[in-house]
Amino acid sequence: AQSVTQPDIHITVSEGASLELRCNYSYGATPYLFWYVQSPGQGLQLLLKYFSGDTLVQGIKGFEAEFKRSQSSFNLRKPSVHWSDAAEYFCAVGNYGGSQGNLIFGKGTKLSVKP
Amino acid sequence: DAGVIQSPRHEVTEMGQEVTLRCKPISGHNSLFWYRQTMMRGLELLIYFNNNVPIDDSGMPEDRFSAKMPNASFSTLKIQPSEPRDSAVYFCASTLAGEETQYFGPGTRLLVL
């Protein structure tokens, strides 16, 4: 069965420090992978996505993620965290083709940023 | 461009009452998704439509939940009768088939007392 695991429920980093949020997936075929961010009281906003090609993808707000097939991972990184990055981050996997379109989401990682 | 629009943003109701949540997808999008988000279960897909036709409703919790999409620009999620355990944030998302990226609305925060 398809699944997404985000091992860290809550992470706290200092402003200016680097960040890595982990995501592991279980999927039978080549997955489509996404990272979304949710600020308090808001909907989910797409940060970046991977479909094929270069395994290092760049997203908005200075985020990047690397697809590693051998590790079934799609970790999100940012070299220097800003206080405004405090939010909850969701990794998702999808399979597309024809009429299918549903995403499987991880449980999320809440990021807190210390001044 | 307007994003996905959901109404109401907040709803407080009493157990047993009917609740109707509304969603207007992004113009031109032909797939629409309803999700529920709770602390315990995270984000769960309830149902999704392609070209106004329900494709997968296996996530709908029980018969108390129903969803419709009468046209390409409007969908409803109805709970009748509502129960306290239905309290959650309900999100609507839309996409254009082939584009693969889902765009989420701001959500409806439902509290059933």
Side-chain angles (χ1 to χ4, degrees), chain A residues 32 34 36 38 40-46 49 51 88 90 96-107, chain B residues 9 31 33 35 37 40-43 45 48 50 55-56 91 97-107 109:
Chain A
Y32 292 166
F34 303 80
Y36 283 85
Q38 184 181 27
Q42 302 296 314
L44 278 73
Q45 180 184 21
L46 180 70
K49 59 188 177 186
F51 287 170
E88 191 155 18
F90 293 90
Y96 291 95
S99 61
Q100 296 194 37
N102 52 306
L103 294 179
I104 307 298
F105 283 87
K107 291 292 179 67
Chain B
R9 292 293 308 276
S31 293
F33 306 79
Y35 291 89
Q37 184 180 40
M40 291 295 294
R41 301 171 69 94
L43 265 167
L45 177 68
Y48 77 92
N50 276 349
I55 301 301
D56 183 356
F91 288 103
E99 182 179 310
E100 321 306 9
T101 301
Q102 293 184 20
Y103 296 86
F104 282 75
R109 187 173 297 273

Side-chain angles (χ1 to χ4, degrees), chain B residues 49-66:
Chain B
F49 297 83
N50 276 349
N51 297 315
N52 313 336
V53 176
I55 301 301
D56 183 356
D57 64 354
S58 59
M60 295 286 262
E62 49 197 272
D63 292 345
R64 298 184 297 106
F65 285 69
S66 62

Side-chain angles (χ1 to χ4, degrees), chain A residues 30-63:
Chain A
T30 300
Y32 292 166
L33 295 159
F34 303 80
W35 275 100
Y36 283 85
V37 60
Q38 184 181 27
S39 298
Q42 302 296 314
L44 278 73
Q45 180 184 21
L46 180 70
L47 280 177
L48 48 78
K49 59 188 177 186
Y50 170 79
F51 287 170
S52 64
D54 192 345
T55 56
L56 184 64
V57 293
Q58 302 297 320
I60 63 171
K61 305 184 180 186
F63 285 92

Side-chain angles (χ1 to χ4, degrees), chain A:
Chain A
Q2 305 163 28
S3 67
V4 176
T5 302
Q6 294 180 246
D8 304 305
I9 296 173
H10 190 187
I11 284 182
T12 300
V13 300
S14 297
E15 191 168 17
S18 63
L19 171 71
E20 182 169 29
L21 302 183
R22 295 182 291 166
C23 173
N24 293 96
Y25 66 89
S26 173
Y27 195 75
T30 300
Y32 292 166
L33 295 159
F34 303 80
W35 275 100
Y36 283 85
V37 60
Q38 184 181 27
S39 298
Q42 302 296 314
L44 278 73
Q45 180 184 21
L46 180 70
L47 280 177
L48 48 78
K49 59 188 177 186
Y50 170 79
F51 287 170
S52 64
D54 192 345
T55 56
L56 184 64
V57 293
Q58 302 297 320
I60 63 171
K61 305 184 180 186
F63 285 92
E64 66 178 26
E66 187 170 12
F67 170 59
K68 293 185 177 180
R69 184 187 300 275
S70 61
Q71 298 177 18
S72 298
S73 69
F74 188 56
N75 294 349
L76 182 71
R77 300 194 294 249
K78 185 169 184 177
S80 177
V81 170
H82 188 262
W83 64 266
S84 60
D85 294 325
E88 191 155 18
Y89 292 80
F90 293 90
C91 182
V93 64
N95 69 306
Y96 291 95
S99 61
Q100 296 194 37
N102 52 306
L103 294 179
I104 307 298
F105 283 87
K107 291 292 179 67
T109 297
K110 185 175 180 179
L111 174 66
S112 297
V113 180
K114 291 189 299 186

Side-chain angles (χ1 to χ4, degrees), chain B residues 50-86:
Chain B
N50 276 349
N51 297 315
N52 313 336
V53 176
I55 301 301
D56 183 356
D57 64 354
S58 59
M60 295 286 262
E62 49 197 272
D63 292 345
R64 298 184 297 106
F65 285 69
S66 62
K68 295 182 179 179
M69 192 163 186
N71 57 61
S73 58
F74 184 66
S75 177
T76 59
L77 178 67
K78 186 176 293 186
I79 308 173
Q80 166 62 20
S82 58
E83 296 182 3
R85 60 193 168 120
D86 301 330

